[in-house]
Amino acid sequence: MRPTVWIFEDQLSHSLNALEEHPDAHVLLIESKKTWSMFPYHKARLGFLISAMRHFVAELTEAGHDVHHYPLKSRGYRDSIAALRHHIKQTKSTEFIVVRPSEWHTQAWLDTLSDLLGITIRYLPNRLFLVDRERFAKWAKSKKKLIMEFHYRQMRKDYDLLMDGDKPCGGEWNFDKQNRKPAKGADLTFRKPRSFKPDEITQVALADVEKHFGDHPGSLEHFAWPVSTKDAKAAWRDFLKHRLPLFGDYEDAMLDEERILYHAVTSPLINAGMLDPLAMCEDVEKAYRKGDVPINAAEGFIRQIVGWREFVYGIYWTYMPEYRTRNQRDVDASLPPFFWDGGTDMHCLHRTITDALEHAYGHHIQRLMVLSNFATLAGLSPQDVNDWFLAMFIDSHDWVMAPNVIGMGMNSDDDTIATKPYVSSANYIDKMSDYCGHCRYSPKKRTDDDACPFNFMYWTFLEDHREKLGKNPRMNMVLKNIDKFGDEQMQQMRDQRKQFVKLTMKGKDYEMWNRFPGRTVAEGQTNGPFDPKYDTF
């Protein structure tokens, strides 16, 4: 009896160890309407994953694999359980080979299936990530404080990336200080990333999204993502040649008319398994050693992969499912209505949210220093903010969003990832972008009707949390500035913050936000919007 290799939507790799070790097995892929209806996922995210799965099915079939594919609502199989029952009946296969899923809730659900369906599931390590979960957890639990930089350096050594013997290339491990140039005012030329016109498979996938998920947020109007293995590789080569050389310099910059700047825009591809993280890093190192890109660009990109990506994956698996519930400042404000339509006079937020609604994408500084910065200063619920990120971005998966939003973005994870909140006044946004020039608010004012809300929210936030923040030596200098304002100005900022928050939170919330089952069944549970007992698959 042949086993079945069961592949999930974030494992679309032809070098998947399950395929290599079991070339003659049945290969199973399931599109579950029930899964994707549980949460308000952006239409473009669903379109990308569905189209990528269908292209992968075609590629596997052409390569000679015995593929069993259950597209959306095929023959009435709207969920994974029904599809699995049909597959077992059709093939008589009861042994399933599964590469360990990237997300906690998927693993928890899989653990219920042996008894439910009378099958055996044999797990293989997930080689789509470079970090070993068990090894990371052992390392993490031996430390009083987890420092990404130290983990990053070890990964560089382990995989011999940008190393000259036992020393880092360029004499330094980290060139982040060279990666903070603002782009406004600079004489720069931007080459747009390659776009990919939807082929017939993608057109049908997008039509299916509109048919089955028409009430989800976002737009498919601008959909031009690579969805095949061939196109994913073409998109990667395009970045290496045209944008990597200046990626480092302008990694933290933001421009109103340039969404991408010099970013790779490959996060959805690597997170879906379509690009190999180690091969990407090796390509970048080759470009550096050939003299095609400077060290700060090469090191900056590699740090994003073997440093940050692998670190947050390790954090996720070490501390889930409890991690998702963390809220160290005990804040619970709901998302402002403008998170669903971009309707705010704060231009940086308007631009970032509008881009997300239209394209399901925003680069890391928009996410960290605009969206998460605002969410932290406004006291929004970390769980609501995390769920919005999970719903809205094309590269979202639970393992990447929870540590990045609850941890790095909002510093709500009991200081596991960061030792201080990543918050700023309008000064940072004005320095690193041209957003403020398009805004009715002044980045220079802390009070008055045209004062940027980032200013009075920032200083009152610091005052509210001064006792704890004062224990961090890195915060002492900025905290001393509060004393310079005087009681009267601080009171004015507190009053303005109170009025702004009252007006900002006023209005109708996204009407579908709390209608999705994944947003309601898990209230008070430890696993956020996912729980295997609700059969969400």
Side-chain angles (χ1 to χ4, degrees):
M1 197 76 65
R2 285 192 291 161
T4 292
V5 169
W6 185 6
I7 299 175
F8 303 117
E9 67 267 24
D10 60 350
Q11 300 177 345
L12 308 182
S13 169
H14 288 282
S15 58
L16 198 70
N17 46 348
L19 291 172
E20 292 181 341
E21 294 178 23
H22 300 275
D24 297 323
H26 305 293
V27 179
L28 175 66
L29 293 96
I30 301 172
E31 299 172 18
S32 171
K33 181 183 178 183
K34 190 172 184 180
T35 302
W36 289 327
S37 297
M38 292 293 291
F39 213 67
Y41 294 114
H42 195 295
K43 291 178 182 177
R45 180 186 186 272
L46 295 176
F48 168 71
L49 290 174
I50 293 167
S51 181
M53 285 182 74
R54 294 179 185 180
H55 280 87
F56 192 61
V57 165
E59 293 164 11
L60 290 174
T61 302
E62 185 176 357
H65 289 282
D66 175 26
V67 182
H68 299 253
H69 174 223
Y70 290 81
L72 285 170
K73 224 170 183 181
S74 59
R75 298 182 294 276
Y77 304 111
R78 68 181 295 272
D79 61 28
S80 297
I81 296 297
L84 285 165
R85 292 188 192 280
H86 181 270
H87 176 76
I88 293 167
K89 182 178 180 180
Q90 183 185 53
T91 64
K92 311 301 181 186
S93 178
T94 58
E95 180 187 4
F96 284 72
I97 312 298
V98 173
V99 169
R100 286 205 173 275
S102 65
E103 302 189 322
W104 189 92
H105 62 274
T106 306
Q107 182 65 66
W109 176 71
L110 287 172
D111 290 342
T112 70
L113 297 185
S114 292
D115 290 340
L116 178 66
L117 299 175
I119 61 176
T120 299
I121 299 179
R122 184 154 62 87
Y123 294 105
L124 298 180
N126 192 326
R127 304 299 188 200
L128 299 174
F129 294 87
L130 303 178
V131 72
D132 180 271
R133 297 178 191 174
E134 288 73 21
R135 181 183 176 189
F136 184 96
K138 185 177 180 180
W139 171 80
K141 290 175 180 178
S142 70
K143 304 293 183 184
K144 290 184 178 180
K145 179 63 188 172
L146 304 184
I147 306 296
M148 190 280 285
E149 181 68 21
F150 296 155
H151 181 259
Y152 165 57
R153 294 180 186 186
Q154 187 59 53
M155 292 288 284
R156 288 264 299 273
K157 294 175 184 176
D158 289 347
Y159 287 96
D160 193 27
L161 291 167
L162 286 181
M163 299 296 296
D164 287 332
D166 60 352
K167 303 293 183 182
C169 290
E172 301 286 345
W173 288 101
N174 188 315
F175 290 86
D176 190 48
K177 291 182 179 179
Q178 297 182 23
N179 294 0
R180 303 172 187 172
K181 291 183 180 180
K184 66 177 181 179
D187 184 17
L188 299 172
T189 300
F190 297 96
R191 171 144 178 162
K192 303 291 185 185
R194 278 198 59 179
S195 60
F196 298 85
K197 185 178 180 180
D199 60 11
E200 183 177 354
I201 293 176
T202 300
Q203 290 174 24
V204 173
L206 299 184
D208 282 348
V209 170
E210 290 289 8
K211 177 181 178 181
H212 296 294
F213 309 103
D215 58 351
H216 283 233
S219 169
L220 293 172
E221 180 181 354
H222 305 285
F223 193 96
W225 292 91
V227 287
S228 67
T229 301
K230 177 183 176 182
D231 288 349
K233 292 179 178 178
W236 171 240
R237 291 193 299 270
D238 178 74
F239 167 69
L240 282 173
K241 182 176 181 180
H242 298 295
R243 298 192 303 286
L244 176 60
L246 287 175
F247 166 77
D249 286 356
Y250 300 101
E251 184 178 344
D252 289 0
M254 298 175 284
L255 287 177
D256 196 62
E257 297 299 324
E258 293 291 340
R259 290 188 309 108
I260 305 303
L261 288 88
Y262 298 105
H263 290 273
V265 208
T266 52
S267 51
L269 308 179
I270 186 173
N271 288 353
M274 300 165 71
L275 292 176
D276 182 321
L278 182 58
M280 294 168 77
C281 291
E282 290 172 342
D283 286 345
V284 170
E285 179 173 6
K286 289 176 185 175
Y288 162 70
R289 293 194 182 276
K290 286 172 59 180
D292 293 339
V293 300
I295 185 65
N296 68 316
E299 187 277 322
F301 184 87
I302 288 174
R303 180 163 21 96
Q304 292 291 326
I305 305 298
V306 303
W308 193 246
R309 179 179 189 265
E310 302 299 324
F311 184 71
V312 300
Y313 181 71
I315 290 287
Y316 177 83
W317 277 99
T318 299
Y319 297 106
M320 276 292 284
E322 168 272 333
Y323 189 93
R324 244 184 161 273
T325 68
R326 293 187 183 183
N327 185 352
Q328 69 184 31
R329 281 183 289 277
D330 195 26
V331 291
D332 60 1
S334 299
L335 299 186
F338 66 71
F339 266 65
W340 302 107
D341 60 14
T344 172
D345 288 342
M346 297 178 69
H347 187 74
C348 57
L349 281 163
H350 167 76
R351 170 51 58 205
T352 300
I353 291 170
T354 300
D355 284 347
L357 288 167
E358 293 180 353
H359 303 279
Y361 182 79
H363 65 71
H364 69 279
I365 292 299
Q366 290 175 306
R367 301 188 198 194
L368 178 64
M369 299 308 300
V370 177
L371 292 170
S372 296
N373 186 15
F374 176 85
T376 304
L377 297 178
L380 304 186
S381 159
Q383 282 64 45
D384 277 4
V385 177
N386 179 71
D387 288 353
W388 186 88
F389 271 74
L390 184 62
M392 200 58 61
F393 289 111
I394 195 167
D395 53 6
S396 77
H397 297 276
D398 198 45
W399 66 266
V400 69
M401 285 306 173
N404 271 297
V405 177
I406 297 173
M408 182 68 172
M410 295 190 68
N411 185 227
S412 294
D413 67 343
D414 303 327
D415 296 332
T416 298
I417 286 182
T419 58
K420 69 179 185 68
Y422 272 78
V423 291
S424 77
S425 66
N427 182 60
Y428 176 87
I429 296 171
D430 189 32
K431 176 184 176 182
M432 297 306 300
S433 79
D434 62 356
Y435 292 157
C436 298
H438 303 272
C439 189
R440 83 165 185 88
Y441 294 113
S442 168
K444 306 298 183 184
K445 292 187 177 183
R446 292 186 287 270
T447 58
D448 294 332
D449 290 343
D450 61 344
C452 178
F454 270 113
N455 287 334
F456 53 77
M457 287 202 303
Y458 174 70
W459 291 110
T460 53
F461 174 88
L462 295 185
E463 183 187 46
D464 289 346
H465 301 283
R466 186 170 188 171
E467 182 177 355
K468 180 177 180 180
L469 294 175
K471 297 175 183 178
N472 188 328
R474 298 167 64 194
M475 295 296 297
N476 286 337
M477 185 174 295
V478 68
L479 290 172
K480 289 179 180 179
N481 287 322
I482 296 175
D483 300 325
K484 299 177 182 179
F485 297 143
D487 293 342
E488 183 178 353
Q489 189 174 23
M490 285 305 303
Q491 186 59 50
Q492 288 176 337
M493 285 193 279
R494 284 192 292 269
D495 292 343
Q496 193 150 355
R497 174 197 174 105
K498 184 177 180 180
Q499 180 69 7
F500 172 78
V501 170
K502 180 180 179 180
L503 292 174
T504 297
M505 303 305 174
K506 184 179 180 180
K508 190 176 181 181
D509 194 2
Y510 176 52
E511 62 180 10
M512 294 300 297
W513 182 236
N514 289 315
R515 295 186 190 177
F516 286 86
R519 285 285 306 159
T520 58
V521 299
E523 184 175 350
Q525 295 172 12
T526 59
N527 196 29
F530 307 102
D531 194 298
K533 74 181 181 182
Y534 287 99
D535 183 20
T536 60
F537 292 76

